[in-house]
Amino acid sequence: MPLDNEEVKGTENDGLKNNEYCKHCYENSGFKNPQMNLEEMKNKVKNKMEKMNHPSYLIQKAVNILPVLKRWNNKYQ
């Protein structure tokens, strides 16, 4: 999800906005679903975007980006 405005950004414990994670995933300095794995996130993103009638190429692009994001990148785990 693009974090191009403050409304979609997640929050830290002190209420400040986080520039790396969206509000759907991150709140009060933690992930809303910390047990979720990459495959589950891919399915969640795909299903949500399909419901929003996004074109398949855009859905695939979003799913392909997930593994390089900080949460899913093994360098940060």
Side-chain angles (χ1 to χ4, degrees), residues 12-72:
E12 300 297 345
N13 282 333
D14 58 9
L16 292 176
K17 297 294 183 171
N18 180 285
N19 292 317
E20 295 180 303
Y21 304 110
C22 76
K23 68 181 184 179
H24 302 291
C25 296
Y26 193 81
E27 183 177 57
N28 297 322
S29 298
F31 292 110
K32 290 185 174 182
N33 190 348
Q35 302 305 318
M36 180 180 282
N37 65 39
L38 178 58
E39 290 306 312
E40 291 169 329
M41 179 57 90
K42 286 180 179 181
N43 287 331
K44 182 176 181 176
V45 167
K46 182 180 179 212
N47 290 336
K48 181 70 171 174
M49 290 181 78
E50 285 174 345
K51 287 179 184 176
M52 297 171 73
N53 294 316
H54 287 294
S56 60
Y57 77 90
L58 192 58
I59 295 169
Q60 192 59 51
K61 183 176 181 178
V63 168
N64 289 345
I65 289 171
L66 288 172
V68 299
L69 297 179
K70 186 175 179 181
R71 180 176 181 179
W72 310 111

